[in-house]
Amino acid sequence: MVSEAPHSVRGRVWKFGDNVDTDVMAPWNTISLPWEERRKSVLHVRPEFAEQAAPGDLIVAGRNWGCGSSREHAPENLKLLGIGGVVAESFGRIYFRNCVAIAFPNLACPGIAQACEEGDDLEFDVASGAVRNHTRGVELSGAAYTPDMLAILERGGLLEMLKERFSAA
Amino acid sequence: MGRTMAEKILSRAADAPDARAGDYVTARADRVMAHEAFTVCALQLRRLGIDRVFDPERVLVILDHYFPAPTEQMARGHVIARSLSEQFGLKHFLGHAGICHQVLTERGHVLPGQLVFGTDSHSTTYGAIGAAGTGIGLTEMTWVLATGELWLLVPPTVRFVLDGTLGDAVMSKDVVLWLAGRFGTEVAQYRAIEFAGPLAAGMSVASRMTMANMGVELGAKFAFFEADDVTLAYLRSRAPAASAGVEAFGPDEDAEYEAVHAVDVSGLEPQIACPHNPGNVRPVSEVAGTPVHQAFLGSCTNARLEDLEVAARILKGRRVHPATRLLVTPASQQVAVDAAREGVLETLLEAGAHVTASGCGACPGGHGGLIAGGEVCISSTNRNFRGRMGSADAEVYLGSPASVAAAAVAGKIVDPRELW
Ligand code: SF4
């Protein structure tokens, strides 16, 4: 089986604080706009982010990243910007489920906000929960995915699984 | 060992005789609610060659977030949603009857003990009548529409035992805001809540809905009240056919909780959540005097008849301050009808309120009352994230309907007890 989304990602870190909500990742009045217009407002609390984030960059955040609305545009916007994944102290639960469903690696890792700064070179693996900060030589351990969650990630998301399930039927 | 409400419902829905907190289960939905998101999900299904939903009887579609359509694009979206609902043979296309959670509850489309997935985070509202409601995103909804099931972690439960009485002009909204301030917006992250105790037992279903609604602001997956005599009387009066045979539903007495917080709210002062987080809560005395440009009485949190009545009581014989505007968006068409019959709308209109069509309206910053940079809105809604209701440079304060009405009169945040 081809692994559509890797377990392990490595990249340069953008750092955010606590309680960053899905409204600032995807403001309501932008969610039906075409991507080129919508991208400008992604995480608009830091306007340079949407302009300068490069494919493969990672996000490190504090507590309750993605709290708020069920809008899937929040993680989808980050994925479309090319963000490789997110490591946070904790997540809003619907946001986190949405990430699993669209195969966007997000890992809860208590202690990450202390152990990582903007620009660090970070690597994490959702299968093992291992987090390595290569810049600082720090290793942490986060909440590894369950086998079911890993299966969804490996297939490239729930829609791919749905396709398989119904074409098999 | 006894079971919590979440454990009971998920054991049944997953056909796992004794599912316990911490277990992963695959559970079957009793009801599935999709608002405008249905269009995206149904088109996704089509693309995958799937032309039916798991059970056309259990899927409810309603158009509330963009009603009345603010743009031609949204109007087109509604046309497509309607036509897809027909093509998929849905038995319950609810059109534009009001805000999803209000309409499903008041019409008995959701009943105690059921498991409900909705494309909306405030699906926790169904917990007010003892149902396990939770929000999911578009991709998971597409999956659920096709299969009827979803994997879930059986959540541990945090129980709030509420005691004490609320004073005049102090509402269940003040209690839930106070809980968010006192216990934080993650107190129930990945968990279920049970609201219990004498205060909860004495609350109307409307008041319970406000608290269950904001359960998600406490992080919760489900936010329950027991389905008791109050619940059954509510359902029987509104939806006699649907609720025939429905019984009381609650946890076992010896259920095991992750935490039990006993809280006495006697003497509670009205509470206000300050920008830009629902957990940034202060007693009204600490923010009194903040000038307000818009007062919004709407949303699935606080725009039921009871809420409009409280506002009308404060506004009766008074005028909305010239420096502010008061927008009232009844939670459903039925609420608007009831409020009209009772003369509540007349009181609000005479005081200078603008009453809009039922729907989400200004709540998520969609349409019908967005605010400009530099403006301040006091709102009876559930979220005050930066940019939520319009400009990222605007500020939203959350309060009860009483606090919203009082601020509309004063043109600034005031203690609503002064105008009661
Ligand atoms: S009224 Fe507001 S919170 Fe309620 S469903 Fe609509 S947008 Fe969501």
Side-chain angles (χ1 to χ4, degrees), chain A:
Chain A
M1 180 177 25
V2 186
S3 183
E4 301 254 352
H7 296 163
S8 174
V9 283
R10 180 171 177 174
R12 181 181 61 123
V13 165
W14 289 83
K15 201 165 168 207
F16 287 83
D18 293 339
N19 292 312
V20 176
D21 58 81
T22 56
D23 277 73
V24 305
M25 297 179 195
W28 185 258
N29 56 6
T30 68
I31 60 182
S32 44
L33 298 177
W35 168 243
E36 278 315 312
E37 284 171 62
R38 186 168 120 207
R39 68 172 291 153
K40 297 177 206 143
S41 59
V42 180
L43 285 169
H44 58 78
V45 284
R46 281 188 66 181
E48 75 283 11
F49 173 78
E51 271 168 40
Q52 294 168 16
D57 285 357
L58 304 183
I59 288 174
V60 163
R63 299 200 61 80
N64 214 9
W65 172 262
C67 58
S69 161
S70 59
R71 68 189 70 164
E72 198 168 294
H73 312 77
E76 192 190 78
N77 279 352
L78 301 179
K79 215 181 160 186
L80 285 169
L81 272 177
I83 298 300
V86 182
V87 183
E89 294 282 333
S90 64
F91 291 98
R93 60 166 289 278
I94 308 179
Y95 164 90
F96 186 80
R97 288 192 71 102
N98 285 338
C99 291
V100 174
I102 65 170
F104 178 48
N106 277 234
L107 185 75
C109 180
I112 188 66
Q114 283 279 324
C116 190
E117 292 307 326
E118 178 109 352
D120 283 1
D121 172 13
L122 191 80
E123 184 173 8
F124 71 94
D125 184 332
V126 295
S128 65
V131 180
R132 262 174 228 101
N133 184 333
H134 293 287
T135 307
R136 281 157 218 281
V138 180
E139 300 205 359
L140 293 170
S141 128
Y145 279 18
T146 63
D148 284 350
M149 285 154 65
L150 268 186
I152 298 171
L153 188 77
E154 280 168 0
R155 311 278 245 292
L158 266 186
L159 289 182
E160 288 303 314
M161 289 181 79
L162 196 57
K163 194 156 56 176
E164 281 174 32
R165 181 157 158 167
F166 275 75
S167 54

Side-chain angles (χ1 to χ4, degrees), chain B residues 6-20:
Chain B
E7 287 169 335
K8 283 186 176 185
I9 293 175
L10 291 178
S11 292
R12 180 193 52 73
D15 209 6
D18 195 26
R20 295 289 176 171

